[in-house]
Amino acid sequence: FYRVAYSEAGWTCLKQAFSIGAFAGRSADRAGLVDDVFALARSGDLAVGAGGNPGTFALEFSQLLDTTDETTLEVWGPALSNLADVEVLLRDQGEACQGHMRARVRALVAKRYAALGWDAAEGDTQLDVLLRGSILRTAVLNAPDASDPAVVKAIALAQSWLADPSLVAKPAPEGCWPR
């Protein structure tokens, strides 16, 4: 595969097109754009104009997943992976910087977190199950503290599983794996 280093005007047009749904039905294109913008920002090859910050542009681009109500694992997967990489890079920048980044990530996943919830839903596909796990993991890892509802729920589930190990092994949803 290859990366496409668009011009500043090209990225601006792509960001606008993404925001108005021009890539609807083309999740591979949306996923590629999200992954490209982060990879090019990381390498310093993202054209954002004089005084522009490639990292800021990449973070702003990722916010489109929220504003466009992105629902596919194919797009969320690279976004969450790249955001986790950014968090690692910020570890040496102090707690204030890390806290700001965690808040951005929490805001980004909030709508998906609310929509997916913790429990399987009728008609969930395997990709829905995997997306739910990725979103929940991100919500818990980016929680401000242990009183956050996502953390409280995760702890309660872990404690119930420890108390009753039979809860861990639940049958796969119909159609996910051969029986």
Side-chain angles (χ1 to χ4, degrees), residues 1 8 17-18 24 28 37 39 42 44-45 47 67 69 91 101 114 117 125 130 138 145 148 151 160 176:
F1 72 96
E8 176 185 357
F18 196 113
V37 76
R42 210 171 15 257
D45 294 321
T67 59
D69 292 324
R91 284 189 181 152
M101 181 63 186
T125 67
L130 294 171
T138 301
D145 56 48
D148 183 86
V151 175
S160 67
C176 287

Side-chain angles (χ1 to χ4, degrees), residues 43-70:
S43 70
D45 294 321
L46 183 63
V48 291
N53 182 308
T56 300
F57 184 87
L59 290 174
E60 289 169 356
F61 201 94
S62 72
Q63 294 300 313
L64 293 173
L65 275 67
D66 176 41
T67 59
T68 62
D69 292 324
E70 181 61 54

Side-chain angles (χ1 to χ4, degrees), residues 94-171:
E95 184 55 40
C97 187
Q98 288 177 303
H100 179 70
M101 181 63 186
R102 283 192 300 271
R104 283 189 82 133
V105 173
R106 276 194 316 276
L108 177 64
V109 302
K111 211 183 295 183
R112 279 294 97 216
Y113 175 81
L116 292 168
W118 283 82
D119 300 315
E122 186 72 32
D124 272 356
T125 67
Q126 183 61 21
L127 293 176
D128 295 330
V129 171
L130 294 171
L131 177 59
R132 178 179 292 107
S134 295
I135 294 291
L136 293 176
R137 177 182 179 277
T138 301
V140 169
L141 292 176
N142 288 282
D145 56 48
S147 67
D148 183 86
V151 175
V152 170
K153 178 73 172 182
I155 290 170
L157 286 172
Q159 289 173 338
S160 67
W161 290 332
L162 289 171
D164 184 359
S166 69
L167 294 174
V168 174
K170 291 194 175 201

Side-chain angles (χ1 to χ4, degrees), residues 74-86:
E74 188 174 12
V75 180
W76 275 104
L80 295 176
S81 176
N82 280 297
L83 289 166
D85 290 346
V86 171

